[in-house]
Amino acid sequence: MTTTDTSARPRRWPHAWQEEVRRLAEERDAVVLAHNYMSPEVQDVAHHVGDSLALSRIAAETDARTIVFCGVWFMAETAKILSPAKTVLAPTREAGCSLADSIDADQVRAWKAEHPDAVVVAYVNTSAAVKAEVDYCCTSSNAVEVVDSIPRDRTVLFLPDQFLGAHVRRETGRENLLVWLGECHVHAGITPADVRRQVAAHPEAELLVHPECGCANSALWLSGAGDLPAGRTQVLSTGGMLEAARTMTAPTSLVATEVGMLHQLRQVNPTTTFLPMNPQASCRFMKMTTPELLLATLRGGGDEVHVDADVARRARRAVERMLAIGRPGGGE
């Protein structure tokens, strides 16, 4: 499980607000989970840092009665689906997700009606209501494995990310894989032009590219064309990036994902210089969770997450079907 456990760090913190976060968390019997895209300050004070699915699994396994999920809303929903008896708090309901918002349950039902014999696979970056309408969930690292488990004569509806869907179609060679045209606005904004510019400036760098990125195909094309050695270009989930970084020996790595991920990469490998493929690739929704808002949540604020029992049951089935196929992989 690709998470960073910070619970073993010394109890003396450099800032008073960090001391207060840990004191309040202990007082409330709460565990603080922070996504890889959170600000460094929030990552550093959390009990666990990782991708959304790994953190949701921790939420299900922890003895803590309260989960404070520092991420975006669909992530907190997933934690509630997997740990229904616990109180799950999000610092703000306003922390949405452009990718999750690119499809709703009504649209899923309409798409299924157009293809009644198809198998529906949803990226975990979707709302609970959408998960409840699909056959399987997947993550960015196991999407290919999930789709490969489906008989090749069955049409697959893949949602909602068009770039991850294109990656899965390329890897599986399935022509009967139909892809919803959704996108993460941050990842879509990392363009082929960014890749060309950064590779020209850092010709010896290794590339870590998230499959949600609009530049993923371009990076692979550059690799295949010989403009960048194939061995130095990897398309990986955030969890996969973290594992690759642990053993990386290259002096420089270009990273194509949300800039918050750089903090974790630099933590596990201080000898490699990790640079953003696009320095502007920052998610405003992720950055809504500030140190002040985290403190306010632990003091009795935040938004409690509730998921309808029937929706949760059907959504959990899709997640569990994914987990039954093989390793859970990275969440995003």
Side-chain angles (χ1 to χ4, degrees):
M1 187 174 295
T2 52
T3 61
T4 299
D5 185 346
T6 65
S7 59
R9 292 180 180 177
R11 286 189 173 273
R12 294 299 304 169
W13 296 84
H15 302 292
W17 78 270
Q18 294 174 314
E19 291 275 11
E20 184 71 352
V21 164
R22 283 309 183 92
R23 185 189 71 78
L24 288 168
E26 183 174 359
E27 186 178 283
R28 293 197 59 173
D29 191 18
V31 61
V32 178
L33 309 179
H35 189 268
N36 289 318
Y37 296 162
M38 289 285 100
S39 67
E41 295 84 359
V42 173
Q43 290 188 40
D44 284 346
V45 78
H47 293 96
H48 301 276
V49 182
D51 60 56
S52 66
L53 187 60
L55 293 176
S56 292
R57 290 166 65 86
I58 289 173
E61 294 164 2
T62 182
D63 292 331
R65 292 180 298 177
T66 299
I67 311 300
V68 178
F69 207 117
C70 300
V72 294
W73 190 255
F74 81 79
M75 299 178 181
E77 279 191 329
T78 306
K80 184 65 176 179
I81 289 167
L82 294 179
S83 47
K86 294 169 184 168
T87 298
V88 178
L89 300 175
T92 173
R93 176 67 177 83
E94 298 303 310
C97 171
S98 59
L99 177 57
D101 289 346
S102 68
I103 191 167
D104 60 30
D106 287 339
Q107 290 172 310
V108 177
R109 285 190 286 267
W111 202 23
K112 287 165 61 176
E114 295 173 7
H115 306 276
D117 296 323
V119 178
V120 187
V121 178
Y123 190 21
V124 74
N125 294 31
T126 46
S127 68
V130 165
K131 289 182 178 73
E133 297 296 331
V134 309
D135 298 298
Y136 295 90
C137 281
C138 72
T139 71
S140 56
S141 67
N142 68 17
V144 171
E145 186 178 11
V146 169
V147 171
D148 266 340
S149 74
I150 299 167
R152 294 191 71 85
D153 62 345
R154 296 289 301 277
T155 297
V156 175
L157 305 183
F158 187 93
L159 62 94
D161 189 81
Q162 60 180 306
F163 300 114
L164 179 59
H167 171 71
V168 173
R169 184 188 286 131
R170 180 176 59 245
E171 292 296 310
T172 62
R174 293 181 76 127
E175 296 183 0
N176 60 346
L177 188 145
L178 308 182
V179 179
W180 189 262
L181 296 181
E183 64 181 28
C184 161
H185 72 287
V186 175
H187 282 113
I190 305 174
T191 66
D194 295 323
V195 176
R196 289 191 291 270
R197 180 174 58 254
Q198 291 282 49
V199 168
H202 307 279
E204 300 304 315
E206 294 203 16
L207 269 67
L208 301 179
V209 181
H210 196 283
E212 281 184 46
C213 286
C215 70
N217 285 336
S218 176
L220 291 173
W221 181 85
L222 283 171
S223 175
D227 293 337
L228 189 74
R232 288 198 272 119
T233 302
Q234 299 184 73
V235 177
L236 299 167
S237 66
T238 56
M241 288 182 181
L242 200 60
E243 290 306 306
R246 293 182 193 279
T247 57
M248 187 176 290
T249 58
T252 306
S253 176
L254 299 172
V255 183
T257 191
E258 209 274 351
V259 294
M261 186 65 201
L262 296 172
H263 184 62
Q264 283 299 304
L265 298 175
R266 291 163 178 163
Q267 294 278 83
V268 301
N269 184 348
T271 63
T272 294
T273 300
F274 293 95
L275 301 173
M277 194 73 77
N278 181 340
Q280 305 305 313
S282 177
C283 177
R284 67 182 181 88
F285 298 114
M286 287 286 185
K287 300 307 186 279
M288 283 182 176
T289 298
T290 61
E292 294 78 13
L293 197 54
L294 173 55
L295 266 177
T297 301
L298 286 165
R299 287 171 175 158
D303 291 314
E304 185 171 353
V305 180
H306 298 281
V307 179
D308 174 82
D310 181 62
V311 169
R313 176 185 60 79
R314 291 185 289 131
R316 190 181 307 114
R317 177 190 61 192
V319 174
E320 289 173 348
R321 282 177 174 172
M322 171 190 71
L323 297 177
I325 291 171
R327 60 188 177 85
E332 306 84 45

